Amino acid sequence: MFFSSGNLTARIFERQIRTPRPSTSVNRVRKFYENLVPNHTEYDIDCPDIYFRKFTDDGQYLITFSRNYQELIVYRPTGLSVSFKEDCHFHDVSTKVKRFDSYFNQLYCIPLASSNEVICKDFFLYMDDRQFGLFATSTMHVHEPTFIQGGVHGIPSIEKITFHLLRLEDGVILDEKVFHNDFIHVTSCIGVFIYDDLISILSILYQTIHIFQIRESGNLVEVRRIGSFCRDDDELFLNSHAQVIATDKNKPISSSFSVENNTEHPDDTERNTFFSGIKQRLLSFIFRGIWNEREDDLLRVPLLKKKFYFHFQDYANLVIWKVQFLDRRHLFIKFGSAEGAVSRSTEIHRAFFAVYNMETTEIISFHQNPSDELYLLFEKFCSNFHVASRNSLHANFVTSHSNNLHALELLKVIKSKSTYYSQFVKKILASLPFTCQSQSPSPYFDQSLFRYDEKLISSMERHRQALDYPIKFILRRQPNTHKFKIKPGPDSGSADARQKRIYSFLFHPFLPFAISIQHTFMQSTVVNVHFRR
């Protein structure tokens, strides 16, 4: 077998003479990455003072921001490219290799934030098919919650949040959407989700899900708004009903709803009378589910008292924490208490999950965490929760325990070591709904190809505490074969081990190329480049 040797030339020859089985051609091609690895590191390169965000999923652009978070700087990855007009010496070559511009070409630098705003450094979403990028800027947070009419008590507000849609090819701003006196989780894109040409933006303060469609022209058009109303004509119906009542009783006509921040929310009088549209759908679904558990009406009433009316206020106080698309019709919504909506750790708060059909405006499933039924669905169909655009070739091959036996075995090991099954399920489901575009599609995180310590590195975008030893990648097919290693920070290690250091990685989606960034308190950032030589 040619593949048993792991020789790149033999693999190319076998590709010419053998046809892969149906639906396995992509996986066969990805095995070439066992030979194409980033086997060389240039330590502490001369890099501009910028904040690295990520590579786009198609690998065409590197997104960065200026250190004052006012400007967007976009680079084109070129790989190592060094040229000289005259004869050069080894020292000249080594100096060039240490320069950032030997690996990237700057395309443009444009101001994105206004004078009183800053760029949200952890926010960026990308559309592969049109090469559009979505960015966010905001004013400073008001940490002390203030009462805002129509808003949820205990939720802070931000004076201004602006979403910018850019064409990354030339940096032209195509459209902007502004939210005033609102609270949207823009950190790590928690409050925003993109699926194909649809974008959902969750206003936690006003409990409204805004659905925008990105047109080919680059315009952001709001096609649906879910919150106080679920259907487009709900407000018209309620106002018409109010007019009939006012006419019958010879009272002046007054609108029951105020409009602020492009979001409808009922005033205090109306809030005491009506639930929001989505809350009413949720309560109705819970009621009908308990009602249908018994066929005898004599048994239904005690059951409703125990399961519904006893917990009614808890259900009525639920607020939306997070939203993601499952497809173009369905939303996966996470509910919880108002305190948990702004908490950094949501695991300590009780959470509920619901699937909402936007076209029929119905809740079609409801689960409380922990839920055995939801966990089994998550275990078998995890890739369905990692929703990727149909046009994103590389993002559709991100490893999960529903499409990779090694990831499934790892999950089972963690389950077997858990003392309490319910706590294990609760911890696993706490990550739902998944954050949009939060995983690197790099083939080096494919667990069918490589084995690595997930405590030190993984496809998830997150910072980790730095270590003085390299991270090893071992071939899965040959378990004892160490293929390559990556080490963040200086080549010689840290001089003071007591200093707190954190690091992060940016892997190119398909090239054997990666950037490691190490941050140390009160010291300059160390940037390493890892590539195939």
Side-chain angles (χ1 to χ4, degrees):
M1 290 292 295
F2 288 108
F3 271 126
S4 61
S5 66
N7 183 274
L8 182 61
T9 304
R11 288 190 166 185
I12 295 175
F13 180 66
E14 184 184 25
R15 185 178 64 176
Q16 292 177 329
I17 63 176
R18 293 184 61 186
T19 302
R21 290 176 296 176
S23 303
T24 64
S25 58
V26 175
N27 291 326
R28 178 64 64 87
V29 170
R30 286 173 70 88
K31 290 183 181 294
F32 278 85
Y33 284 102
E34 294 179 344
N35 299 91
L36 302 172
V37 298
N39 56 7
H40 180 74
T41 300
E42 284 296 332
Y43 293 92
D44 198 8
I45 66 171
D46 183 13
C47 182
D49 189 18
I50 55 178
Y51 177 84
F52 291 88
R53 179 60 185 97
K54 66 182 298 184
F55 287 103
T56 55
D57 287 346
D58 60 2
Q60 296 296 316
Y61 307 99
L62 172 65
I63 307 300
T64 67
F65 305 124
S66 61
R67 278 297 177 181
N68 61 359
Y69 303 115
Q70 295 290 316
E71 298 172 326
L72 166 67
I73 308 171
V74 177
Y75 293 90
R76 175 87 70 185
T78 60
L80 180 59
S81 176
V82 178
S83 61
F84 295 90
K85 294 182 179 180
E86 301 175 355
D87 295 339
C88 63
H89 302 284
F90 174 78
H91 175 72
D92 298 328
V93 175
S94 60
T95 302
K96 279 277 189 178
V97 169
K98 289 285 186 180
R99 294 174 57 87
F100 182 79
D101 55 10
S102 297
Y103 305 89
F104 299 92
N105 287 334
Q106 180 176 323
L107 297 182
Y108 51 83
C109 174
I110 60 170
L112 197 61
S114 60
S115 57
N116 63 336
E117 289 182 298
V118 293
I119 296 174
C120 302
K121 63 178 183 179
D122 296 324
F123 184 92
F124 169 69
L125 294 173
Y126 183 63
M127 290 185 63
D128 283 10
D129 54 342
R130 301 176 188 174
Q131 295 189 349
F132 292 167
L134 187 67
F135 301 87
T137 59
S138 72
T139 55
M140 297 299 294
H141 291 202
V142 179
H143 297 286
E144 291 296 328
T146 57
F147 174 75
I148 297 180
Q149 183 179 348
V152 177
H153 292 277
I155 303 296
S157 65
I158 303 174
E159 181 182 352
K160 183 182 179 184
I161 305 171
T162 307
F163 292 96
H164 311 262
L165 185 67
L166 273 75
R167 185 171 56 225
L168 292 184
E169 182 181 4
D170 51 15
V172 174
I173 298 178
L174 302 174
D175 202 354
E176 295 179 345
K177 292 297 176 183
V178 181
F179 292 81
H180 294 283
N181 299 318
D182 208 334
F183 186 83
I184 299 170
H185 264 309
V186 291
T187 303
S188 301
C189 309
I190 292 177
V192 184
F193 203 95
I194 187 169
Y195 177 74
D196 288 341
D197 60 342
L198 297 178
I199 298 176
S200 71
I201 299 178
L202 171 61
S203 166
I204 294 182
L205 182 60
Y206 296 111
Q207 288 294 284
T208 302
I209 304 170
H210 302 266
I211 307 297
F212 292 93
Q213 185 178 32
I214 305 176
R215 299 294 172 84
E216 293 185 2
S217 60
N219 293 325
L220 288 170
V221 179
E222 188 169 15
V223 294
R224 203 180 299 270
R225 189 177 299 179
I226 306 166
S228 298
F229 312 111
C230 292
R231 297 186 184 274
D232 295 337
D233 59 349
D234 281 353
E235 183 181 12
L236 177 63
F237 174 80
L238 289 175
N239 287 334
S240 300
H241 181 67
Q243 287 179 352
V244 172
I245 295 177
T247 303
D248 292 341
K249 296 184 178 181
N250 295 321
K251 292 183 178 180
I253 299 173
S254 60
S255 176
S256 301
F257 292 84
S258 58
V259 179
E260 179 184 346
N261 196 27
N262 294 325
T263 303
E264 301 100 334
H265 46 274
D267 58 22
D268 294 338
T269 304
E270 195 70 21
R271 282 175 63 88
N272 294 330
T273 306
F274 293 106
F275 288 109
S276 66
I278 193 168
K279 183 68 65 65
Q280 185 272 334
R281 303 298 199 276
L282 179 63
L283 293 173
S284 299
F285 181 86
I286 298 172
F287 179 91
R288 291 197 305 270
I290 299 173
W291 178 271
N292 293 331
E293 288 183 15
R294 298 287 188 273
E295 294 183 358
D296 189 350
D297 290 344
L298 296 177
L299 298 177
R300 281 172 170 171
V301 174
L303 190 64
L304 284 170
K305 289 181 179 179
K306 179 181 178 181
K307 288 189 174 183
F308 184 73
Y309 293 111
F310 184 77
H311 300 285
F312 179 80
Q313 197 57 48
D314 295 330
Y315 292 138
N317 291 336
L318 291 178
V319 299
I320 302 175
W321 283 1
K322 199 174 179 182
V323 177
Q324 77 163 84
F325 285 104
L326 293 177
D327 53 37
R328 297 186 69 88
R329 283 180 168 183
H330 298 92
L331 295 176
F332 187 52
I333 306 176
K334 187 175 187 177
F335 292 89
S337 64
E339 295 79 11
V342 293
S343 174
R344 291 188 176 183
S345 177
T346 59
E347 293 184 16
I348 62 176
H349 299 276
R350 188 168 57 167
F352 299 84
F353 302 95
V355 177
Y356 176 79
N357 188 316
M358 292 188 291
E359 293 188 358
T360 63
T361 71
E362 294 178 345
I363 299 287
I364 60 176
S365 70
F366 182 72
H367 307 274
Q368 180 178 348
N369 192 13
S371 166
D372 292 345
E373 181 184 0
L374 182 59
Y375 171 74
L376 291 176
L377 291 172
F378 174 73
E379 186 178 286
K380 294 180 180 179
F381 307 103
C382 180
S383 298
N384 294 79
F385 292 90
H386 285 287
V387 181
S389 172
R390 291 171 294 183
N391 300 308
S392 178
L393 174 62
H394 307 288
N396 286 316
F397 290 90
V398 173
T399 296
S400 71
H401 48 258
S402 63
N403 62 18
N404 189 281
L405 291 176
H406 304 287
L408 180 60
E409 287 298 324
L410 180 61
L411 180 68
K412 290 181 178 179
V413 170
I414 298 174
K415 184 197 300 186
S416 64
K417 292 182 179 180
S418 301
T419 307
Y420 300 102
Y421 176 75
S422 61
Q423 291 297 322
F424 163 77
V425 172
K426 183 177 181 180
K427 185 176 181 179
I428 293 295
L429 297 183
S431 60
L432 298 178
F434 285 125
T435 303
C436 186
Q437 298 181 8
S438 61
Q439 289 187 288
S440 170
S442 171
Y444 302 106
F445 294 120
D446 188 340
Q447 294 190 26
S448 63
L449 301 179
F450 298 97
R451 179 166 57 88
Y452 48 86
D453 190 346
E454 289 202 61
K455 296 180 181 179
L456 304 179
I457 191 171
S458 71
S459 61
M460 295 295 294
E461 295 179 356
R462 52 175 294 194
H463 291 84
R464 290 174 170 84
Q465 189 168 351
L467 301 172
D468 287 329
Y469 51 85
I471 302 170
K472 297 180 180 179
F473 285 75
I474 300 172
L475 280 182
R476 181 72 71 176
R477 187 171 54 86
Q478 299 174 352
N480 296 322
T481 304
H482 167 240
K483 199 60 183 176
F484 70 99
K485 60 184 179 180
I486 285 183
K487 181 180 181 299
D491 187 16
S492 58
S494 175
D496 188 358
R498 296 172 299 177
Q499 290 181 322
K500 185 177 181 180
R501 295 163 291 139
I502 58 174
Y503 66 87
S504 59
F505 289 96
L506 299 179
F507 274 77
H508 194 276
F510 56 85
L511 294 178
F513 187 90
I515 302 173
S516 62
I517 307 102
Q518 177 175 293
H519 305 275
T520 306
F521 182 67
M522 296 296 291
Q523 292 187 15
S524 58
T525 301
V526 178
V527 178
N528 300 339
V529 176
H530 315 269
F531 58 94
R532 176 174 174 81
R533 186 169 63 175

